[in-house]
Amino acid sequence: MAKTALVVGASGIVGGATAALLVEQGWTVHGLARRAIDLPGVTPVAVDLRDAAATRAAIGTLAPDAVFITTWLRQDSEAENIRVNSAMVRHLLDALPAPTAPRHIALVTGLKHYLGPFEAYGKGTLPQTPFREEQGRLDVENFYYAQEDELFAAAARDGFSWSVHRPHTVIGKAVGNAMNMGTTLAVYATLCRELGRPFTFPGSAAQWSGLTDMTDAGLLARHLLWAAETEAAQDEAFNVVNGDLFRWQWMWERIAGWFDVAAAPFDGIVRPLEQQMAEDAPLWRELALREGLAEPELERLASPWHTDADLGRPIEVVTDMSKSRRLGFTAYQPTDDAFFALFERLRSERLIP
């Protein structure tokens, strides 16, 4: 019989890629999001996880073999991030019926486990790079830690296995996503080409010249499925990146070339996209109308604040994946190819011209 999965956050970059992979692999897939989704082969579950009673009503009869938690809601402070996002995980896990067969629950967090929350991003005493799973938690409040604690407590109570997955910046497609560097850069490059603007790197000198890595959504989906099906990966936390390293001074030229724009020389001055794109919503709407694009609202495609946070870091960020490699996960994805595949998809779906 086909295994059953519940993908939480199925409308997002990671959730959408995970649901698609599971369907491809023959799983019966339920996709949970706040609003009903329309994904091939996925049964939609529309519920707001902030509502405990509604969550119990929506999923209380499901008995999934695996649950993939790929969602969070951004709040105005880290204290609110902790309160809201830990409650969402708790409501979800409390609503599921106790497992009568082996069940695995995977939680996707990220490198803010090592870097700290947005309020204190990359500040204070940080672990050495490359980041390794055994480096543990920072001595700061962090909603990732609160989510993990909810997962660990429920696992001790209900007896399921778990895994935690910490990707770097994720490359993938989702409209209306709060953290979407790939589509943000595609929209920015399109506007630069259409309006004759310089394609200017918005970040720091450390990011321009230092080594970094990223995570393709498809590779992350494969990692989630691997952990759910691999006994040795149970009850472990993992970093997840593509497997290559690059410098943005090289990648910026690669992206510029794809969009047929000239990359502006980098002069060491941080020029955030949130400022560069502050007045671009009406310009994008005009462009979308002229080109017959599917999404005329800039804020549903681009998240400049998040791209600025990543590209503005004052430190090098490199991630170690030795734990996964030792346990048998060997998938590899060149990051420039991941960007180019996303850009092709955005173009084919008429999200960029």
Side-chain angles (χ1 to χ4, degrees), residues 1-222:
M1 294 180 64
K3 289 185 176 182
T4 299
L6 174 63
V7 179
V8 182
S11 61
I13 293 174
V14 178
T18 302
L21 176 64
L22 291 166
V23 169
E24 179 185 302
Q25 295 295 313
W27 287 58
T28 298
V29 182
H30 300 268
L32 188 152
R34 279 179 292 167
R35 289 172 289 276
I37 56 170
D38 182 15
L39 295 175
V42 176
T43 301
V45 179
V47 68
D48 189 332
L49 293 177
R50 291 172 294 184
D51 187 328
T55 302
R56 189 176 297 277
I59 66 171
T61 59
L62 295 181
D65 298 288
V67 180
F68 303 92
I69 306 173
T70 71
T71 189
W72 73 290
L73 282 177
R74 186 189 182 201
Q75 305 299 310
D76 291 335
S77 68
E78 192 60 18
E80 278 298 288
N81 276 331
I82 290 169
R83 184 186 68 82
V84 171
N85 290 286
S86 63
M88 288 167 58
V89 173
R90 182 170 63 255
H91 295 163
L92 171 77
L93 299 180
D94 286 351
L96 289 170
T100 57
R103 176 180 295 165
H104 186 83
I105 299 187
L107 171 66
V108 177
T109 61
L111 294 195
K112 288 191 291 298
H113 182 93
Y114 309 106
L115 288 162
F118 285 120
E119 291 179 6
Y121 203 37
K123 299 176 182 177
T125 302
L126 299 176
Q128 281 188 329
T129 56
F131 296 139
R132 293 181 168 85
E133 295 94 343
E134 62 268 21
Q135 289 168 323
R137 296 179 175 184
L138 301 175
D139 187 22
V140 296
E141 295 296 312
N142 190 323
F143 82 88
Y144 284 169
Y145 306 161
Q147 287 181 309
E148 286 183 343
D149 289 342
E150 295 290 348
L151 176 68
F152 301 156
R157 178 191 70 206
D158 293 337
F160 57 77
S161 64
W162 56 266
S163 57
V164 174
H165 304 255
R166 300 170 185 156
H168 199 164
T169 306
V170 178
I171 303 170
K173 181 253 176 178
V175 175
N177 190 268
M179 301 195 301
N180 195 339
M181 180 188 285
T183 305
T184 299
L185 293 180
V187 168
Y188 174 60
T190 299
L191 287 167
C192 288
R193 184 187 64 213
E194 295 293 323
L195 302 172
R197 292 180 184 171
F199 185 58
T200 302
F201 183 71
S204 67
Q207 291 305 302
W208 179 253
S209 58
L211 289 171
T212 194
D213 47 29
M214 292 184 73
T215 307
D216 176 70
L219 181 136
L220 176 52
R222 283 183 281 165

